[in-house]
Amino acid sequence: MSKSKAESTTTVYVARKIITMNPMQPHATHLAVRDGRILAVGDLARMQAWGEFELDTRFADKVLMPGLIEGHCHLKEGGMWVFPYVGYGDRLGPDGKTWKGLQTMEAVVDALAGICQQWDAAGTPADKPLIAWGFDPIYFGDERMTVQHLDRASTTRPVVICHSNGHLMNVNSEMMRIAGITRDTQIEGVVKFADGEPTGELQEPAAMFPVARRLGPSGSGLLAPMDDDGMRGFGAIACMQGVTTATDLVNQLADHDVDVLLGACERDDYNVRVVPAFKAFHGTHGAKEGVQRINELKARYGETDKLRFGVVKMMLDGSIQGFSARLRWPGYFNGSANGIWVTSPEQYEADFEVYHRAGFVVHTHTNGDEASEVAIEAIERVLERAPRPDHRHTLQHGQMIDAAMFRRMARLGLCANLFANHIWYWGDQHASMTMGPDRAARLDACASALAAGVPLAIHSDAPVTPLGPLFTAWCAVNRVTMSGQVLGERERLSIAQALHAITLGAAWTLKLDDEIGSIEVGKRADLCVMEDDPEQAEPMRLKDVRIWGTMLSGRIFEATQMRYRVGDL
């Protein structure tokens, strides 16, 4: 079928500067777009070689680079705003509003108590649970939130606080009563006082499950099903941050989940390409059934521009700052007991092999160094039994990986997507509480990964930390903590290396580097449109580069026009 004249129109965009991320042609002033793809990159004369075109000058005073790629986030970044935010730091919502952080335990409890009082006065049914998110007790020293704190908010209404890391929650006595959690509950991760009574802190999926099943989908925190409002909210935040491709790195891909994804991605006005990763751990299908499900989805829906199936998410351990990650000797710096295996090492290796043999790209959550070592050793054994070139299996977070492990990863063809935002958000706590100063100096060791030849991406894990690849790049470039100390100066990336990690580096881990991640002929016309030049920014100002909006496959989205309010409390 021949294309109409409108479909075949060539548009040439002129910019103050185009950063291509193509080392063979690093900069340009013009690019041509036809049918949503890049037709030409260079100067005006190169554009004219393709014949007639429409010249678009709206970006003449702006800087263009490839659309930014978030290789580890969750679509719930756009949907969590229906719940009260009780995190430590300020957060930007999809409507452009800044939500102020709560920086004492008392402030968190007071905020929850105030909401309960408002709901009671308004006649809100007493059995409606109050679910809040973003909480992180590590900022409050040795004090841990317990049922006594949350019972001050309410003893009659169930109250649930999801931690920022997604691995823990706290509940009040009424929620424990409803969930059937008592001193007799024998589930790993149900924390108890010295007298055997539960504290209300629940660590990792097994311990949180009794609460989640009573609350229904809304009680699953980061794993709760998405809806249309949440997808629109995520799109708004992504546009404000220059993101054109994003993962949803845990998705059960049930029929409802797929319907929501399709509903958004099939709209012309949706501004993000989504890569959902099948949840292949804890309580989902067995590995063989998981392979069948992914293949079924790929056969039914094929490969569309905005929705890509084929990535698998596995999980070994928990959260370092939540003390549920698995650490090698000498363990936690403050003497806490070692963490939790979300998936047993034996089960991980068996399931990994099934997905590997099926040809999928497996992304594995490993926070502590013991978990990373277990993953590397298991993958090495699988590759010996079932060699597969260019597999691009990726360790996600990998925050305590050392130089020796990176060298092993390079030999095995493994990639790393490191959680660089941890340096800012929890670097001080890692140095003083979880790892100690020596290991904290190699937290998220980006430079060591590159020195070993490991393909590198960096990420936010939004909504664990805010979506924003330029901020993530800033973290990797400066390695500054909230208190101002520099953790591991020699692990700093250059600005060029950091920009690569949030474009081509992330695209590589998703096996999409042939389509996105750089501005080259034949690739998708995905752009991040900026008011400032990140290459010329002072390292400490990189996070302040202003973003105008994005282009996805030739369609332009301005950030201020994409803002969207997600629900109301």
Side-chain angles (χ1 to χ4, degrees), residues 368-394:
D369 49 2
E370 183 183 13
S372 294
E373 186 172 58
V374 163
I376 293 167
E377 290 174 348
I379 293 169
E380 184 169 24
R381 289 189 293 268
V382 170
L383 290 174
E384 288 174 354
R385 295 191 293 266
R388 192 180 114 201
D390 198 29
H391 52 75
R392 305 206 199 172
H393 299 313
T394 301

Side-chain angles (χ1 to χ4, degrees), residues 51-294:
E52 294 184 0
F53 57 81
E54 296 178 358
L55 182 66
D56 192 318
T57 61
R58 77 182 82 185
F59 302 142
D61 63 343
K62 301 192 182 340
V63 175
L64 308 180
M65 67 176 292
L68 306 184
I69 301 168
E70 178 50 89
H72 186 148
C73 70
H74 306 275
L75 295 177
K76 292 301 292 184
E77 169 79 351
M80 297 297 286
W81 302 96
V82 296
F83 306 122
Y85 170 69
V86 293
Y88 185 83
D90 297 349
R91 290 291 290 255
L92 182 68
D95 58 354
K97 170 186 172 181
T98 297
W99 295 70
K100 299 300 293 183
L102 303 176
Q103 300 192 341
T104 66
M105 192 81 80
E106 290 301 311
V108 174
V109 174
D110 289 347
L112 296 170
I115 295 171
C116 288
Q117 292 167 8
Q118 293 172 15
W119 284 12
D120 291 343
T124 303
D127 61 352
K128 178 181 178 179
L130 171 57
I131 303 171
W133 71 285
F135 178 66
D136 198 330
I138 202 167
Y139 293 116
F140 308 131
D142 294 330
E143 184 180 13
R144 302 294 290 185
M145 178 168 278
T146 70
V147 65
Q148 284 127 8
H149 291 93
L150 291 186
D151 279 353
R152 283 159 45 197
S154 179
T155 56
T156 57
R157 182 184 303 281
V159 178
V160 179
I161 296 187
C162 299
H163 287 217
S164 64
N165 55 47
H167 290 262
L168 291 85
M169 65 171 55
N170 282 88
V171 298
N172 68 345
S173 57
E174 177 62 9
M175 187 67 250
M176 284 201 293
R177 184 191 68 79
I178 294 171
I181 296 173
T182 69
R183 66 181 297 119
D184 298 322
T185 301
Q186 299 298 316
I187 301 175
E188 185 180 18
V190 175
V191 181
K192 296 181 180 180
F193 292 113
D195 65 2
E197 292 294 328
T199 70
E201 181 174 306
L202 308 174
Q203 301 179 350
E204 300 304 330
M208 294 188 285
F209 178 73
V211 171
R213 70 187 176 93
R214 292 292 183 180
L215 295 180
S218 64
S220 301
L222 298 182
L223 304 184
M226 278 292 286
D227 58 21
D228 293 337
D229 272 358
M231 293 294 292
R232 290 182 183 274
F234 183 87
I237 293 172
C239 190
M240 286 188 275
Q241 301 298 338
V243 173
T244 54
T245 298
T247 57
D248 187 24
L249 214 64
V250 177
N251 196 306
Q252 297 191 42
L253 293 181
D255 289 343
H256 167 82
D257 304 312
V258 175
D259 288 345
V260 170
L261 291 169
L262 288 169
C265 293
E266 288 178 347
R267 295 199 314 265
D268 287 341
D269 65 350
Y270 199 64
N271 59 297
V272 189
R273 182 177 299 103
V274 179
V275 183
F278 179 73
K279 180 184 177 226
F281 61 91
H282 193 78
T284 50
H285 312 278
K288 291 182 179 178
E289 291 79 11
V291 167
Q292 182 178 350
R293 177 59 174 169
I294 302 170

Side-chain angles (χ1 to χ4, degrees), residues 57 148 246 295 316 351 426 507:
T57 61
Q148 284 127 8
N295 282 332
L316 269 169
D351 290 350
W426 296 287

